[in-house]
Amino acid sequence: MTIELKDLRVLVVEDSFQTIALIRTMLSDFGITQIYTAKDGKEALDFLGTCDELIDVVMCDWNMPRMSGLEVLRQVRTVDPDMPFLMVTGAADPESVLAAKSNGVTAYIAKPFSANVLKKKLNVVARLLSVRRG
Amino acid sequence: MLTRGKLVWAICFALLLFSLPLLIRDLFALRQGVEYSSGADFWYTGEINRELLRLKVVLIEAKADWDESSASRIRFQFDLAMSRLNTLPRQSNDGWHSQGIGQLPEVAALRDDVAQFDAASSLLDTDPPAYLELALNGVEGALQASRALSVKALERQNGLVGHLQAEFEKFGVHLALYGAGLVALAAGLAYLMIRHMRSEGALRTANRGLVEKSALVEATLNSMSQGLCVVDADWRLMAWNDHFLQQFDVAKGYARVGRPFADIIGHEAMGSGRGSEDGLALLADWAGRIGGRDSHGFTYVRSNGRAIDIWGDPMPKGGYVYTFTDVTERRRAEQDIRESEERFRRLAEAVPQGIMVHFEGRILEANGNFGKLFGQPTDWLIGGDLRHLLTDDSWRSLTDQFERFEEGVAEIVGRRDDQSAFPLEVAWRTVPYRGDRAKVVSLFDISSRKLTDERLHQSQKLEAIGQLAGGVAHDFNNLLTIIEGFAKRALAKAEDSGQVRSSLAEVVSAAEKAAGLTRQLLTFSRKRTIARESVRVSTLFDELAMLLRPVLGERIELVFLPPERDVGVDTDPGQLFQALVNLAINGRDAMEGSGRLTVRAAAADVDETRAARYPDARPGRYVALSVADEGTGIDPEVMSRIFEPFFTTKEAGRGTGLGLPMVYGFVRQSNGFIEIDSALGVGTTMTLYLPLSEPAAVASAADMGGTAFRARGETVLVVEDEDALRRLAKSILEELGYTVLTATDGIDAIEVDEECEGRIDLLLTDVVMPGLDGIGAAQAVVQRRPDIKVVFMSGYPSRGDLSRGDLPRGVPLLEKPFNAYSLARTVREALDGTTGATDTEAAAPLAPERYGT
């Protein structure tokens, strides 16, 4: 089963409304129609707790109030070890990368990122899901 | 010769000899005189008188009472009286009287009177009264005559007593003489006896003294702490003490007066196991050390290791007095002291500090490092004035503190022989020294520490700035994402009006430049990840040459000095490239457009000493990559600030102030360090020390099967989560000429594949990996590119043992551990489709369905 980019169902976790708007625009440009947003980690986890089958990939900012992206990743991994998780961050320092990798992050997106970068990362997710779902 | 004593003895004996016969005669005379003077004549006369009186009594009684017995009694008494008369001695028996008393006329008269009785005795029977009358008259006359005789006898007796008195007087004289002789003799004898006794006492005293003296001498000899031995001219033992015997392990009974000294030495020789004949050899050796009649000494080391100092003094009549001092302990103590001194000397020499003893401005003692501090031999400085080794201010300060404090620590400035100044840390303590109070001072050159401190301070400052810059860059990136994203989107959607599009294009361009700056800031603050891999210097130089030549311009002579042997640098190639470009541009700007820029690479071993100069450096093997210009050099005043972000000496608009900070952050993140050598007007050399990649990464062509397995322009993606293995595979494949991409796991492999957009010809992947395993990665890649070749690597010996199930059939499996040859061959054969000597399906195109799930 091949999963195309446009088929992806994306949950965007980001505290900046401007960034959410930008990402939503970019995703729409990729043909993605199923876009969900959460303004912080708690909201995202609540959402995933009720209907994670609606989501193919989580795209999460690192620096957020109340709960960091790393914490969201940890929580997600406790219930779904295979959920593709893209970490978006403005400072991909080695310590953070190592921490995210050890917690099972799927890919890193360093800010500022272009639409092309985002597209490639999501393509990776689509191909990964294609393999996993056979 | 007649001595006084003999004369006395002669007088004594003369007196005795003279007086002794006289005394004997006197004694006889006296005996006789006494005998005769005992009153015999008087006794005789008294007896006669008494018998006459009795007769008178008988007569009177008869007269008064006559009876028939009276006549007989009278006759009896008469006869008795007559017999007394008749028995008077006629011869003198005393020697002094010519006749005896019986011959005296008085006796004759008496006898006559008595004779009248006898004549009348006839009357007794006839006429007793007449007789009685007659007889009484006759008795009365006889009594008178008897009394006269008694008087006569008494007179004779008295004459005899006088004679006896004279004899006694003579006897007394003689006895006195004899007594005197005896006394003299006794006195002489007493004198002799006393003298004898005295002489005996003296002798005893002398003997006792001798014995005591002998014991004293023996005790004295034995109380000596040394051994002592006296030998005569013939080398025979005369005297010794116990120590001597003990020192040579000689039994007491063995040593005796007159024993040849060679025996003792022979004993010693036997103790050493050399046999008794060696005793003479030893003695000869011993004797050979003796300097004739002079005192001599030498040290003899016994076979048991004990050292004995021997000192011999000749005696006037030949022979020697030897003293033996066991100096083993002393030697050992001396040796200990020497060793102790040597240890302390070495200790003093070993300490990194200079150490000196200082008193009143003078250097009394110092160790070797002290001289090294000042660039002069220590011997030259000892005895000299400390003032000449310090700056004037330091000298005044130090002497002031020496006076005020018994001990302390201070930082001063020393002055070397070439007058160059350097910082010193001194610590001192006041100690007794040869009767004075001197200062023991340790001095330590703290130039390096000062420099390190300064660098550490700079490093800490840069760290703080980095934290700040990193935070700013992070926030900036958020904003830039939005600005750039929306600007691009707006640009795409904008109507084709030149004004709006050009404005939006400027916004996008500015956002991209800003993103570039924040990347450099993040690099400086080490907030960027670096993809470490082995970068070959030769490859790096090739790429750098291509890029730099147009950038630097024709007036800059660009020189590359590669290492003698190609080496690898363990770092992020992109960032290294960027760093070298930054340095080259700085060099170009410093030379103001013309000059020579030299890029050099060399392997460098950095030891601890060198590493200690840099706050972040560790000892190890490095590649030193230097960029040297012939520019203006860096002003020392700004040297400490060159790595600060936004600090630039370039004119406005020419520099961002982020070039060197980026280099700094990158090098530090690569576990390296930077060395700067700059001189004003001469130029600057910036050297980046980056870790040398492991030698195992480089394999020889022969190991890889020569040219048979070389690349033909293919690109290989190596997927391996083990860093070292990934680098090894990359290195080998690069050596073979492949373009090699790497990924750390299955998902990373898909990302790389996505990035390179179809350039990959072969996927070389490990099987078991976290996230997405090799089989999944291969599936993902093959789904997109069915013609891609796949080679699995696995540490499991067979396909069936893999945890995820069987590997797809027909896909080559490179078993780990692999070598260069097996890797080269497997990859080449997979690409050529010739795999199948054992697995014929390998050459078939890999289709997604072949992997299954």
Side-chain angles (χ1 to χ4, degrees):
Chain A
M1 174 183 178
T2 303
I3 296 175
E4 299 294 330
L5 180 63
K6 62 182 176 54
D7 299 331
L8 290 177
R9 297 166 296 177
V10 185
L11 171 61
V12 181
V13 190
E14 171 65 65
D15 60 320
S16 163
F17 291 111
Q18 295 98 320
T19 307
I20 286 179
L22 177 66
I23 292 172
R24 185 183 282 279
T25 308
M26 288 177 174
L27 295 177
S28 299
D29 289 347
F30 303 154
I32 296 173
T33 56
Q34 298 183 70
I35 303 166
Y36 304 88
T37 60
K39 67 177 186 298
D40 58 34
K42 186 175 182 307
E43 194 176 309
L45 291 172
D46 288 345
F47 180 79
L48 288 171
T50 54
C51 45
D52 67 329
E53 70 278 4
L54 296 177
I55 300 300
D56 293 321
V57 57
V58 178
M59 194 176 156
C60 183
D61 188 27
W62 183 292
N63 281 298
M64 291 185 297
R66 293 200 287 180
M67 186 184 288
S68 72
L70 184 64
E71 187 54 34
V72 176
L73 172 62
R74 284 185 183 135
Q75 300 274 351
V76 168
R77 283 285 172 261
T78 57
V79 294
D80 190 348
D82 293 329
M83 171 70 78
F85 196 103
L86 301 181
M87 187 71 86
V88 184
T89 177
D93 56 283
E95 291 79 14
S96 304
V97 171
L98 192 65
K101 280 208 166 188
S102 64
N103 282 283
V105 75
T106 308
Y108 243 85
I109 301 175
K111 289 180 182 177
F113 58 87
S114 64
N116 196 30
V117 168
L118 180 59
K119 189 177 181 181
K120 284 179 178 171
K121 298 288 182 188
L122 289 172
N123 267 330
V124 171
V125 172
R127 293 172 69 183
L128 175 63
L129 290 174
S130 297
V131 171
R132 282 187 178 159
R133 293 175 186 172
Chain B
M1 182 178 179
L2 191 61
T3 62
R4 188 181 298 173
K6 287 178 182 174
L7 181 62
V8 171
W9 281 116
I11 292 171
C12 287
F13 281 109
L15 280 172
L16 286 174
L17 289 174
F18 174 72
S19 59
L20 187 60
L22 293 176
L23 274 176
I24 293 170
R25 191 200 66 81
D26 289 344
L27 283 173
F28 279 107
L30 284 171
R31 179 176 173 273
Q32 197 171 15
V34 169
E35 187 179 339
Y36 290 129
S37 66
S38 59
D41 286 352
F42 187 70
W43 183 78
Y44 283 133
T45 59
E47 282 294 307
I48 292 169
N49 199 27
R50 191 161 44 245
E51 293 301 330
L52 288 174
L53 283 172
R54 283 178 183 163
L55 182 56
K56 185 181 178 179
V57 169
V58 169
L59 287 175
I60 292 168
E61 287 176 351
K63 190 180 177 180
D65 188 11
W66 178 272
D67 62 20
E68 51 192 16
S69 61
S70 297
S72 58
R73 288 200 305 263
I74 292 167
R75 281 191 184 101
F76 175 74
Q77 193 60 42
F78 183 79
D79 288 341
L80 197 58
M82 279 307 290
S83 67
R84 292 287 187 223
L85 272 175
N86 289 335
T87 58
L88 284 174
R90 292 180 181 276
Q91 294 294 324
S92 175
N93 56 357
D94 58 7
W96 292 309
H97 294 94
S98 59
Q99 57 188 6
I101 193 169
Q103 289 183 316
L104 292 177
E106 289 82 3
V107 173
L110 183 55
R111 199 174 283 125
D112 287 342
D113 290 338
V114 174
Q116 289 177 19
F117 284 85
D118 195 34
S121 61
S122 57
L123 292 173
L124 193 49
D125 298 327
T126 64
D127 188 359
Y131 178 74
L132 291 170
E133 194 66 31
L134 185 61
L136 284 169
N137 290 332
V139 165
E140 200 61 38
L143 280 170
Q144 288 177 358
S146 175
R147 287 189 195 102
L149 183 63
S150 293
V151 170
K152 187 68 176 183
L154 189 60
E155 287 175 350
R156 283 174 55 111
Q157 185 77 25
N158 287 341
L160 197 60
V161 167
H163 185 71
L164 195 58
Q165 275 182 330
E167 283 295 326
F168 264 115
E169 286 171 2
K170 282 200 297 186
F171 177 72
V173 171
H174 293 158
L175 188 63
L177 283 174
Y178 188 76
L182 281 177
V183 167
L185 186 63
L189 287 174
Y191 169 75
L192 286 177
M193 191 172 291
I194 289 168
R195 202 173 70 172
H196 174 73
M197 285 170 70
R198 281 183 178 174
S199 63
E200 279 286 321
L203 193 60
R204 274 200 303 275
T205 305
N207 278 341
R208 192 165 58 242
L210 274 178
V211 170
E212 287 174 355
K213 194 175 286 183
S214 174
L216 187 66
V217 168
E218 187 176 347
T220 304
L221 288 179
N222 285 332
S223 70
M224 291 171 67
S225 59
Q226 300 156 308
L228 182 134
C229 157
V230 181
V231 295
D232 62 13
D234 297 327
W235 285 83
R236 291 180 181 280
L237 277 181
M238 292 175 68
W240 60 88
N241 67 359
D242 290 347
H243 283 299
F244 164 69
L245 302 180
Q246 288 161 7
Q247 281 169 341
F248 285 91
D249 295 330
V250 179
K252 270 194 173 183
Y254 188 75
R256 57 178 171 73
V257 173
R259 183 177 281 283
F261 192 67
D263 288 358
I264 304 295
I265 300 297
H267 187 87
E268 162 70 5
M270 288 180 75
S272 68
R274 290 191 288 167
S276 61
E277 66 276 9
D278 282 351
L280 289 174
L282 272 173
L283 182 60
D285 177 42
W286 191 319
R289 306 191 203 197
I290 297 172
R293 298 291 302 165
D294 297 329
S295 295
H296 52 276
F298 55 93
T299 301
Y300 175 70
V301 179
R302 292 195 60 205
S303 54
N304 60 7
R306 297 200 74 82
I308 299 174
D309 267 2
I310 299 174
W311 180 257
D313 285 312
M315 293 192 297
K317 293 181 178 177
Y320 297 93
V321 176
Y322 281 109
T323 53
F324 304 86
T325 308
D326 191 329
V327 294
T328 311
E329 305 304 328
R330 195 182 76 200
R331 281 189 158 198
R332 199 170 291 158
E334 288 172 353
Q335 181 68 19
D336 287 348
I337 289 171
R338 276 198 298 276
E339 287 177 1
S340 173
E341 286 179 348
E342 178 65 14
R343 279 200 304 275
F344 273 98
R345 192 187 64 75
R346 286 182 183 170
L347 192 65
E349 293 298 333
V351 293
Q353 290 94 342
I355 296 175
M356 68 153 177
V357 180
H358 172 269
F359 180 66
E360 294 185 345
R362 295 280 162 196
I363 300 160
L364 304 181
E365 289 186 42
N367 67 353
N369 278 339
F370 179 76
K372 287 180 187 168
L373 279 176
F374 297 97
Q376 299 179 58
T378 297
D379 291 345
W380 292 8
L381 300 177
I382 291 175
D385 197 337
L386 183 62
R387 176 199 295 263
H388 303 312
L389 301 176
L390 304 177
T391 61
D392 292 343
D393 288 346
S394 290
W395 165 250
R396 277 192 293 274
S397 163
L398 193 61
T399 50
D400 177 52
Q401 294 191 67
F402 275 177
E403 286 176 10
R404 288 165 56 197
F405 304 111
E406 289 277 295
E407 59 182 81
V409 180
E411 282 191 15
I412 57 173
V413 180
R415 198 159 52 187
R416 296 194 185 90
D417 194 29
D418 59 4
Q419 297 304 306
S420 60
F422 65 104
L424 274 172
E425 183 183 82
V426 295
W428 71 89
R429 176 169 287 181
T430 309
V431 296
Y433 183 86
R434 295 180 179 173
D436 287 314
R437 301 279 293 167
K439 299 275 190 294
V440 173
V441 187
S442 74
L443 305 95
F444 192 67
D445 183 345
I446 54 172
S447 306
S448 173
R449 196 173 77 195
K450 283 267 185 191
L451 192 60
T452 306
D453 287 350
E454 194 176 329
R455 285 178 174 164
L456 184 63
H457 176 68
Q458 285 182 29
S459 171
Q460 287 170 340
K461 187 171 74 172
L462 292 173
E463 189 74 30
I465 295 172
Q467 293 285 342
L468 183 66
V472 171
H474 175 260
D475 289 341
F476 251 78
N477 278 337
N478 275 336
L479 297 172
L480 287 171
T481 306
I482 297 163
I483 295 168
E484 188 184 348
F486 279 115
K488 280 185 175 175
R489 181 171 174 74
L491 187 62
K493 301 281 183 185
E495 296 295 327
D496 190 18
S497 77
Q499 186 72 31
V500 174
R501 289 188 64 83
S502 66
S503 297
L504 286 172
E506 286 295 326
V507 171
V508 170
S509 172
E512 285 174 347
K513 283 181 183 171
L517 288 177
T518 54
R519 269 198 301 278
Q520 295 210 51
L521 264 181
L522 286 170
T523 305
F524 164 71
S525 58
R526 289 176 286 139
K527 295 292 185 187
R528 283 185 70 191
T529 47
I530 61 169
R532 297 178 68 155
E533 56 186 76
S534 180
V535 182
R536 290 187 172 279
V537 169
S538 55
T539 310
L540 179 72
F541 276 15
D542 290 345
E543 294 179 4
L544 209 55
M546 281 195 296
L547 180 81
L548 284 181
R549 291 202 191 281
V551 170
L552 298 179
E554 293 179 355
R555 293 171 59 205
I556 300 288
E557 181 190 356
L558 184 60
V559 178
F560 283 94
L561 298 174
E564 291 181 3
R565 186 176 63 84
D566 196 13
V567 291
V569 186
D570 186 17
T571 187
D572 184 316
Q575 295 196 45
L576 172 60
F577 197 82
Q578 178 66 51
L580 290 172
V581 169
N582 286 354
L583 293 178
I585 290 172
N586 277 355
R588 179 200 65 185
D589 293 346
M591 292 189 288
E592 296 177 343
S594 66
R596 178 188 294 173
L597 190 78
T598 307
V599 183
R600 181 198 305 264
D605 287 331
V606 174
D607 59 18
E608 291 203 4
T609 310
R610 192 166 177 193
R613 295 185 207 157
Y614 305 95
D616 309 308
R618 291 176 186 166
R621 302 199 68 199
Y622 288 85
V623 175
L625 283 160
S626 65
V627 177
D629 64 52
E630 297 174 340
T632 53
I634 302 171
D635 191 332
E637 290 185 3
V638 303
M639 181 69 86
S640 62
R641 300 191 61 195
I642 58 172
F643 291 125
E644 290 180 19
F646 309 112
F647 176 82
T648 178
T649 56
K650 296 176 184 174
E651 58 194 64
R654 287 202 63 187
T656 60
L658 286 172
L660 285 178
M662 177 266 157
V663 174
Y664 173 83
F666 152 71
V667 171
R668 282 199 61 190
Q669 201 167 354
S670 299
N671 297 325
F673 59 97
I674 304 175
E675 191 175 70
I676 305 169
D677 183 16
S678 182
L680 284 175
V682 177
T684 301
T685 301
M686 300 278 255
T687 307
L688 315 183
Y689 286 87
L690 296 168
L692 185 80
S693 58
E694 294 300 321
V698 181
S700 70
D703 292 338
M704 293 176 279
T707 58
F709 304 136
R710 290 197 66 79
R712 294 164 200 159
E714 294 97 339
T715 297
V716 177
L717 170 60
V718 178
V719 189
E720 169 63 61
D721 57 338
E722 186 70 36
D723 286 353
L725 208 55
R726 187 174 65 248
R727 285 190 219 169
L728 176 63
K730 180 176 189 284
S731 173
I732 294 170
L733 293 173
E734 282 184 337
E735 193 70 24
L736 289 163
Y738 293 100
T739 300
V740 183
L741 305 171
T742 58
T744 56
D745 56 35
I747 297 172
D748 195 24
I750 300 174
E751 275 200 71
V752 173
D753 183 45
E754 195 70 27
E755 285 287 339
C756 68
E757 295 174 346
R759 287 199 291 125
I760 299 168
D761 299 301
L762 182 137
L763 175 70
L764 174 66
T765 178
D766 189 16
V767 177
V768 181
M769 290 181 293
L772 181 66
D773 63 16
I775 297 172
Q779 275 184 298
V781 172
V782 172
Q783 270 182 343
R784 176 72 59 88
R785 296 265 316 281
D787 60 333
I788 203 166
K789 303 294 189 298
V790 176
V791 174
F792 288 117
M793 297 183 284
S794 176
Y796 293 92
S798 68
R799 298 160 187 270
D801 293 337
L802 291 164
S803 60
R804 197 180 178 277
D806 292 347
L807 283 175
R809 291 172 60 220
V811 178
L813 175 67
L814 179 64
E815 289 186 2
K816 293 193 251 182
F818 56 81
N819 57 29
Y821 179 83
S822 62
L823 175 63
R825 177 179 174 177
T826 305
V827 168
R828 187 68 260 163
E829 287 180 351
L831 285 167
D832 293 346
T834 56
T835 305
T838 56
D839 190 343
T840 53
E841 293 178 83
L846 292 167
E849 59 270 20
R850 298 189 66 190
Y851 289 88
T853 53

